[in-house]
Amino acid sequence: MSDEKITYTEAMHRLETIVSTLERGGMGLDETLKLYEEGADLLRLCKTELSAAEGRLHELQLDDIETELQAEEQ
Amino acid sequence: MTGRGGVTTGPLPIGQFVQLVKQTVVRDPLFKNQALRGEVTQWKQYPSGHTYFSLRDQDGQMRAVIWKGRCAIDSSIKEGSEVVVLASLDLYVRRGEIQLNVERIEPVSILGELEKTKRLLVEQLRKEGELDRERLAIPLPPKHIAIITGAGSAALSDMQQLIENRWPGLRRTVIGVLVQGPRATEEIVRGLAVARKLADPVRARKRGEPPVDLVIVGRGGGSPEDLWSFNLEPVARAIIASPVPVVSAVGHESDILVSDLVADLRASTPSDAVERVVPVLPELHYFLDEYQERLTNASRRQISDNRQRLRTLHARLRVAPMAGLNRAKAQLFALTSRMKVSSNQSLSIQTTRLAQFEASLAAIHPQRVLERGYSMTQTTDGSVVSSIACIEVGQNITLNFADGSADAEIKKTHTNEGEK
């Protein structure tokens, strides 16, 4: 996906629209499949976003992290 | 040792020595009627009417006494009050303790001073439009939270615990700073500067972690003075300058802090901040699972609806020609009956007209003429004679009357004058 991928929140909104459109019914087969595929992509994206939020836990004193950042700058 | 008077030799009784010290201390003008400032601790008013307390600040302290009736005592003065006293040094000989004899005591309203600067700052920020600026949205999910708070503080461990309960392993960087005392303001500002650096995507890539996308800055509750750094301009400016949303998470009940006013989100405590910005991971998974289920079910239903519609169409297609035929029949029937009605109507009109014709025809029938005395002449071949030129002498004719006829022979003919 490109850099301008949609956010988790936007994805959830779009999902809600897709699901309620499908639930309202009256879609053709083509449209149904297209919506289903879009929804499945959005769900995958959301799950990726959730796992991307897990990571390292740092706990540093102000002086230490400042020193660390300064070292990086050199 | 020789006494001051030089009268006695040998060791000096301690009581005398203390008396000597007292005289020196009491006489010294530097220790008389001195205005002193400090915080009241161990405040105790005895039934005797005397009041004892200690006056202290971060560098030192001394016992003090207000003798009964010596001065008015403001009722607001209590443990922890900041006061200014007018006092002289004294020495309580029995215990050898130095104390302050207080002549006057006044509460100091540093808070009043601070409130004034705070009001001015808020006014200034409002004028600059900083209070109405558009707030940054809290990211969902936050991929890297920077927490700026007291290292090892209860507030920090509460937040850590709460985050682990809600979203185990959520990426976060704690920047431990002083949140109280004279260096607090500077450290909080530096902490926010560090968070700003960590929010830089280029630097984050170098560090191999997502950029900080949310900052929580705060501390647990305390006295208004303890929290005062969060009312100061440098902290307010640093919050405003943050490229990522900042949550002000200072434990307090009533007064709104300047940091609350400028932050992108205001929380009433550090734990409240966590509850507002850290979602409960299992709930998010639950939502996603629910969407997954609804999506699948709705799509399945759509497909089966489509199949059903196809079946219905198929069935209708098969009966469609018959239906057309039946419809045509019905139309034909309707037309026929309409035609019958209209032709019946025209028939009766024509019958009437025919009767009228008959009547007028009857009126001009030759019989009626004969009845009036005229007669009609016919030749033997039956043709009616209407002119003298049609007959000749010797010809046989028949004369017709209304009630009979007679055969005759022509003897002579006459032509009317002027007819020929």
Side-chain angles (χ1 to χ4, degrees):
Chain A
M1 265 187 211
S2 70
D3 280 350
E4 335 159 42
K5 63 176 183 183
I6 61 170
T7 66
Y8 181 89
T9 315
E10 287 164 344
M12 290 295 270
H13 282 151
R14 179 73 189 131
L15 258 176
E16 176 59 43
T17 313
I18 289 175
V19 169
S20 41
T21 306
L22 282 171
E23 283 172 342
R24 230 182 356 259
M27 303 269 105
L29 206 58
D30 265 4
E31 211 169 342
T32 300
L33 289 179
K34 223 156 61 190
L35 285 177
Y36 175 80
E37 270 166 24
E38 192 188 343
D41 281 346
L42 289 170
L43 279 167
R44 255 193 304 279
L45 179 132
C46 287
K47 282 176 186 161
T48 313
E49 284 283 285
L50 292 190
S51 47
E54 279 160 33
R56 274 199 300 170
L57 165 61
H58 301 279
E59 199 168 326
L60 293 162
Q61 281 298 327
L62 179 63
D63 291 336
D64 298 335
I65 193 163
E66 277 179 339
T67 315
E68 193 183 308
L69 289 174
Q70 265 160 21
E72 277 176 15
E73 279 162 26
Q74 271 141 30
Chain B
M1 183 178 174
T2 307
R4 258 196 186 181
V7 181
T8 54
T9 55
L12 192 66
I14 183 68
Q16 282 183 30
F17 177 72
V18 177
Q19 276 291 351
L20 279 173
V21 175
K22 175 172 172 158
Q23 278 162 26
T24 312
V25 164
V26 168
R27 265 198 227 112
D28 195 324
L30 181 65
F31 303 140
K32 260 194 155 75
N33 285 321
Q34 186 62 255
L36 303 167
R37 180 175 172 157
E39 182 191 332
V40 167
T41 62
Q42 295 168 279
W43 180 259
K44 218 163 209 174
Q45 289 178 296
Y46 284 92
S48 62
H50 310 313
T51 302
Y52 295 88
F53 63 100
S54 287
L55 194 63
R56 54 155 283 192
D57 64 14
Q58 61 220 39
D59 299 318
Q61 61 175 315
M62 194 174 275
R63 293 292 300 160
V65 57
I66 307 168
W67 300 116
K68 180 185 176 183
R70 185 57 60 94
C71 66
I73 300 170
D74 193 297
S75 61
S76 73
I77 295 171
K78 56 179 194 298
E79 190 72 20
S81 292
E82 192 79 9
V83 294
V84 169
V85 299
L86 202 64
S88 301
L89 207 56
D90 193 10
L91 199 146
Y92 182 41
V93 178
R94 258 177 195 280
R95 287 200 186 168
E97 276 177 9
I98 281 181
Q99 68 181 28
L100 293 163
N101 280 345
V102 175
E103 305 290 335
R104 271 180 67 188
I105 181 166
E106 299 277 348
V108 179
S109 172
I110 23 164
L111 210 54
E113 288 293 307
L114 290 174
E115 282 293 346
K116 216 163 94 187
T117 15
K118 177 185 168 187
R119 260 203 310 279
L120 288 174
L121 173 60
V122 170
E123 230 165 79
Q124 177 64 27
L125 291 171
R126 180 166 291 132
K127 232 185 280 171
E128 290 174 23
E130 296 295 2
L131 301 190
D132 312 316
R133 83 192 160 97
E134 204 173 310
R135 302 305 146 113
L136 301 171
I138 303 300
L140 176 73
K143 295 208 187 77
H144 189 174
I145 304 181
I147 300 172
I148 303 167
T149 193
S153 64
L156 176 57
S157 60
D158 286 353
M159 282 195 276
Q160 295 281 41
Q161 186 63 55
L162 198 53
I163 293 173
E164 277 307 307
N165 288 346
R166 297 171 74 86
W167 191 316
L170 185 69
R171 182 181 294 101
R172 53 202 190 269
T173 298
V174 174
I175 305 166
V177 297
L178 290 170
V179 287
Q180 196 169 330
R183 284 178 54 211
T185 307
E186 177 222 330
E187 290 221 344
I188 294 167
V189 169
R190 275 165 57 202
L192 283 162
V194 167
R196 197 154 58 233
K197 285 183 180 174
L198 295 177
D200 174 19
V202 178
R203 190 188 282 269
R205 230 188 332 271
K206 260 193 246 169
R207 290 173 64 86
E209 60 190 11
V212 160
D213 56 1
L214 180 64
V215 177
I216 298 176
V217 58
R219 52 156 290 162
S223 72
E225 293 94 324
D226 289 344
L227 310 181
W228 209 260
S229 289
F230 293 91
N231 274 327
L232 295 180
E233 185 164 5
V235 171
R237 297 282 179 200
I239 290 175
I240 291 167
S242 173
V244 293
V246 178
V247 185
S248 169
V250 184
H252 58 298
E253 280 142 24
S254 49
D255 269 5
I256 291 181
L257 302 166
V258 176
S259 63
D260 293 334
L261 293 175
V262 295
D264 296 285
L265 182 70
R266 174 196 168 194
S268 59
T269 60
S271 302
D272 181 40
V274 169
E275 278 171 2
R276 281 155 168 268
V277 300
V278 177
V280 178
L281 185 63
E283 276 177 17
L284 295 185
H285 279 306
Y286 173 78
F287 287 142
L288 289 180
D289 290 347
E290 205 179 46
Y291 272 128
Q292 173 83 66
E293 205 176 304
R294 283 173 65 194
L295 182 71
T296 313
N297 287 346
S299 301
R300 263 202 201 120
R301 201 158 43 242
Q302 279 302 297
I303 290 169
S304 83
D305 280 359
N306 271 283
R307 189 173 291 137
Q308 186 55 45
R309 228 176 301 157
L310 202 64
R311 273 200 204 107
T312 314
L313 277 173
H314 191 208
R316 280 173 61 194
L317 196 66
R318 270 196 302 215
V319 300
M322 282 308 285
L325 200 62
N326 288 339
R327 203 159 43 242
K329 267 186 193 165
Q331 271 177 352
L332 198 62
F333 177 75
L335 276 176
T336 314
S337 57
R338 275 171 63 197
M339 211 157 73
K340 265 186 193 158
V341 169
S342 71
S343 57
N344 280 349
Q345 275 172 352
S346 80
L347 199 66
S348 81
I349 291 169
Q350 281 172 23
T351 312
T352 314
R353 286 177 64 196
L354 206 59
Q356 284 168 347
F357 272 128
E358 225 167 22
S360 51
L361 273 178
I364 56 167
H365 194 275
Q367 186 68 25
R368 302 286 99 76
V369 183
L370 300 183
E371 280 167 2
R372 294 210 298 272
Y374 296 94
S375 60
M376 184 176 70
T377 309
Q378 286 176 300
T379 57
T380 46
D381 60 359
S383 54
V384 176
V385 179
S386 58
S387 167
I388 196 69
C390 300
I391 50 171
E392 48 200 46
V393 177
Q395 188 173 343
N396 288 324
I397 52 168
T398 304
L399 298 173
N400 292 291
F401 303 92
D403 51 353
S405 62
D407 296 333
E409 193 188 299
I410 302 297
K411 288 183 175 164
K412 198 176 176 186
T413 60
H414 310 275
T415 304
N416 287 345
E417 286 303 313
E419 286 291 322
K420 197 127 190 228

